[in-house]
Amino acid sequence: MTNPEVGTVAQCSRLADGLYQLVIHAPEIASRAKCGQFVHILCGEGNFLRRPISICDVDAPRLRIVFQVKGEGTKWLSERKAEDKLDLLGPRGRGFDLAKLGAKPVFIGGGIGVPPMLYATKCAQNAGAKPSAILGFRSQSAVILEEDFACPATVCTDDGSYGVHGFVSDVLKQQAAGFTGIAACGPKPMLKAIAAIAQQAGLPCQVSMEERMGCGIGACLVCACALNAENGETRYGHVCKDGPVFDAEEVQW
Ligand code: FES
């Protein structure tokens, strides 16, 4: 269990429709955060709801999060101003195991699954790898963070209004031979398609299932995830505690 840290908001800005970015001064969490982990943020004064939000980037002593407004809690979060205090728990969860992804990993994000890939590509670069990114969005108006990626990044949109017309899995299919491993975060159908391509190509693949999280503390069971047990049977894991990152082969699709 991690201790709470009181973070101070340095900046809050809107990135796209319903998508916000917070830069938070939080030295303890920033010093320990690994890519793929999340912070659990108390949202609102009256209600005691924490929201799990993935870490988008770390520039110690600051960390950056990007989130979608989905309800009361995230709306409250989007209204924070510089100098406001935030009650944070973290870093939490199991992040990406970069050592297993080889020298030329590709990081694939879909929609709100794009933000955690930013820090993951940075960490891979710091570890001496040559990462690439494939970033998928609904349409041009939903494109975020493109300029923040310091590695080769292919942007695609479902409707073709920007970048490559198509899904991240279409781009991956064409480029898979050039990579040594795959890390992905996004909606489950996207992850399933990527896991299948990885299997065909014989590439190690890790998926972050965080879109399935609710409470983030093992209490709501929203995040129960069917996994393959070693004896060939099904076992259930909690995305918030056992993940959010799993080996794609572990997940029952
Ligand atoms: Fe509620 Fe995991 S998110 S139990």
Side-chain angles (χ1 to χ4, degrees), residues 225-237 249-252:
C225 170
L227 302 171
N228 297 312
E230 275 174 20
N231 61 4
E233 298 197 348
T234 300
R235 68 181 175 93
Y236 285 88
E249 288 181 351
E250 240 185 309
V251 178
Q252 282 191 1

Side-chain angles (χ1 to χ4, degrees), residues 52 212-224 238-241:
R212 294 189 52 173
M213 268 199 262
C215 72
I217 54 165
C220 72
L221 302 181
V222 158
C223 73
H238 285 91
V239 173
C240 62
K241 287 196 302 189

Side-chain angles (χ1 to χ4, degrees), residues 66-253:
V66 172
F67 58 96
Q68 188 168 26
V69 173
K70 283 188 184 161
E72 291 275 302
T74 40
K75 180 167 185 299
W76 178 88
L77 202 55
S78 72
E79 291 162 352
R80 295 308 89 202
K81 305 264 179 301
E83 299 304 320
D84 283 353
K85 301 295 181 201
L86 286 175
D87 181 321
L88 311 167
L89 288 175
R92 285 214 159 165
R94 186 168 72 151
F96 292 106
D97 185 347
L98 298 177
K100 287 186 181 166
L101 298 177
K104 288 187 73 186
V106 60
F107 294 87
I108 306 174
I112 196 62
V114 166
M117 293 308 164
L118 179 59
Y119 188 42
T121 54
K122 252 195 187 182
C123 292
Q125 276 172 326
N126 290 343
K130 291 211 174 342
S132 302
I134 304 172
L135 313 174
F137 303 93
R138 262 191 341 273
S139 64
Q140 183 169 22
S141 62
V143 175
I144 53 168
L145 302 172
E146 182 187 2
E147 261 108 63
D148 295 51
F149 280 81
C151 64
T154 304
V155 174
C156 46
T157 50
D158 300 354
D159 65 0
S161 54
Y162 186 78
V164 177
H165 186 183
F167 298 131
V168 290
S169 48
D170 302 329
V171 176
L172 177 64
K173 239 181 248 165
Q174 289 164 3
Q175 301 182 356
F179 302 125
T180 54
I182 300 170
C185 183
K188 197 168 180 191
M190 176 196 117
L191 297 180
K192 183 179 175 182
I194 287 169
I197 297 168
Q199 197 183 23
Q200 267 176 7
L203 293 175
C205 179
Q206 294 167 29
V207 292
S208 176
M209 312 281 289
E210 59 197 21
E211 96 279 8
R212 294 189 52 173
M213 268 199 262
C215 72
I217 54 165
C220 72
L221 302 181
V222 158
C223 73
C225 170
L227 302 171
N228 297 312
E230 275 174 20
N231 61 4
E233 298 197 348
T234 300
R235 68 181 175 93
Y236 285 88
H238 285 91
V239 173
C240 62
K241 287 196 302 189
D242 310 317
V245 175
F246 296 90
D247 278 331
E249 288 181 351
E250 240 185 309
V251 178
Q252 282 191 1
W253 298 104

Side-chain angles (χ1 to χ4, degrees), residues 11-31:
Q11 190 204 331
C12 181
S13 50
R14 180 184 171 278
L15 293 184
D17 200 18
L19 292 171
Y20 289 81
Q21 165 176 282
L22 269 178
V23 179
I24 307 164
H25 179 90
E28 278 295 310
I29 295 174
S31 69

